[in-house]
Amino acid sequence: MRDYPLQPSIPKLAPLSQLATPPLRLGMTQWSHNAWQRKFYPSGTKSGERLARYAEVFNTVEGNTTFYASPSHATVANWKAATSDAFRFTFKFPQPITHQMMLRHSDAMVSEFITLMQPLHERIGLWKIQLPAAFGPQSLPDLKRFLTAMPTAYNVGVEVRHPAFFAKGDDERAFNSLLMEYNADRIIMDSRPVFAVPADTDALLDAQQKKPAVPVHAISTSNTPMVRFIGDPTLERNDAFFANWQKKIPQWIEEGKTPYLMIHTANNDQAPELAAHFYDLLTQQIALPPLAPLFPEDISSQISLL
């Protein structure tokens, strides 16, 4: 397995992470990962300092933690202190709301969650509704009621798993039309890389058992389309699957949209490298601001050249 080479350079413009209105949002599914301690985090970085370091390079993150448990008020305050106004979180609604109650009779829980996250409201780029495979066409009225109740100032993204929403028939058209009506984004899962090869690593085997193998429909229903790209841990095998996104994401940017590109790998060990590599590929298609140095040694080398 090889790493993608990263070309260190002194950026002449403000990096992506510092822009208040960037052309796109680039991030990963987490900001804290032990395997990054020896490379992405500078030496001596404590666990509580990882978000601040992450936000020096990337300008968004997929907040999966809120899906499993609501944070404390102190934790929300710490997340705010660790980031700037240029950063955007994309928090998932808690699992009881989306998977257990299937959006029904959940008004009190939704209100409680939104109130809890109030200190970060200005930094939440997308409120994410991830729905289970059991949430099918018959449940669209529940989604409509939920979207109707959401404050209109919030950007909302919806991810579905039911096969009918990928069949290009009346059910999918009804779903897409509903999202357009409420200016909600359809979140796009691209898990092709992890299913395109035999499970030759433990990470791939785990990903193939847990990740959904749904078709990729590259449709934007509002102004902040999100692509969740789950990559193969053998990094060079991902480029072929990113080729279409090299065209689609610049197209969205030129249309005035702000795409979100969230990069996973099967075990996330090399997710920062893959995210930086894909960003480099995008800069070959459209003018973009530089990405801040990914590795601490690159930061030191740049300082020594100044």
Side-chain angles (χ1 to χ4, degrees):
M1 182 187 302
R2 64 170 171 82
D3 289 342
Y4 283 121
L6 298 174
Q7 302 299 325
S9 60
I10 301 175
K12 298 178 181 179
L13 303 173
L16 180 72
S17 59
Q18 294 181 14
L19 300 181
T21 55
L24 82 162
R25 296 280 174 181
L26 177 70
M28 293 173 288
T29 61
Q30 57 193 133
W31 62 75
S32 183
H33 189 56
N34 289 337
W36 302 345
Q37 187 65 43
R38 297 181 301 277
K39 49 183 181 178
F40 180 59
Y41 305 124
S43 177
T45 301
K46 299 177 182 178
S47 60
E49 300 168 339
R50 289 178 173 180
L51 176 56
R53 163 57 186 157
Y54 174 97
E56 291 176 359
V57 179
F58 301 102
N59 61 357
T60 190
V61 72
E62 188 176 334
N64 286 323
T65 58
T66 55
F67 181 73
Y68 299 102
S70 293
S72 67
H73 291 282
T75 296
V76 173
N78 289 338
W79 290 346
K80 182 176 182 179
T83 56
S84 73
D85 288 337
F87 193 81
R88 292 293 180 269
F89 294 90
T90 65
F91 289 118
K92 289 183 181 179
F93 279 97
Q95 187 176 25
I97 294 172
T98 57
H99 284 55
Q100 297 172 16
M101 306 181 79
M102 304 271 278
L103 304 184
R104 301 180 65 188
H105 314 299
S106 60
D107 291 359
M109 294 183 67
V110 171
S111 178
E112 181 180 354
F113 178 67
I114 290 176
T115 300
L116 172 65
M117 307 306 292
Q118 192 279 328
L120 287 173
H121 279 189
E122 298 301 317
R123 296 183 192 169
I124 297 179
L126 207 63
W127 297 81
K128 296 183 59 180
I129 305 169
Q130 186 184 85
L131 297 167
F135 193 99
Q138 75 285 353
S139 298
L140 284 181
D142 298 317
L143 177 59
K144 181 172 184 175
R145 282 191 291 270
F146 192 95
L147 294 175
T148 300
M150 285 293 292
T152 56
Y154 292 176
N155 292 328
V156 178
V158 183
E159 182 179 330
V160 289
R161 306 286 174 86
H162 193 284
F165 296 134
F166 298 89
K168 297 185 178 180
D170 291 342
D171 292 327
E172 182 172 7
R173 284 189 285 271
F175 171 59
N176 290 337
S177 295
L178 177 61
L179 297 183
M180 293 177 187
E181 179 183 354
Y182 286 91
N183 292 317
D185 288 284
R186 178 168 182 168
I187 296 174
I188 305 161
M189 168 77 75
D190 189 349
S191 59
R192 294 173 299 164
V194 299
F195 291 101
V197 295
D200 55 5
T201 67
D202 289 341
L204 268 177
L205 178 62
D206 184 65
Q208 290 181 5
Q209 292 174 343
K210 296 180 179 177
K211 301 299 182 183
V214 295
V216 180
H217 291 184
I219 181 173
S220 173
T221 56
S222 189
N223 295 317
T224 51
M226 176 185 284
V227 178
R228 299 179 64 204
F229 187 98
I230 305 178
D232 185 330
T234 302
L235 297 185
E236 60 267 25
R237 297 196 299 214
N238 290 290
D239 282 16
F241 298 101
F242 194 70
N244 286 339
W245 296 121
Q246 283 180 254
K247 301 175 183 177
K248 178 58 70 173
I249 291 174
Q251 176 189 325
W252 283 336
I253 293 172
E254 290 173 348
E255 291 172 354
K257 301 176 186 289
T258 306
Y260 280 67
L261 177 59
M262 297 297 196
I263 302 300
H264 317 221
T265 62
N267 57 14
N268 281 322
D269 287 358
Q270 293 177 291
E273 292 96 321
L274 187 60
H277 173 66
F278 283 166
Y279 190 77
D280 182 62
L281 292 179
L282 289 172
T283 64
Q284 298 173 23
Q285 304 296 323
I286 189 171
L288 295 171
L291 198 64
L294 191 66
F295 298 126
E297 57 265 29
D298 290 341
I299 300 173
S300 299
S301 67
Q302 288 192 10
I303 292 175
S304 67
L305 292 171
L306 296 177

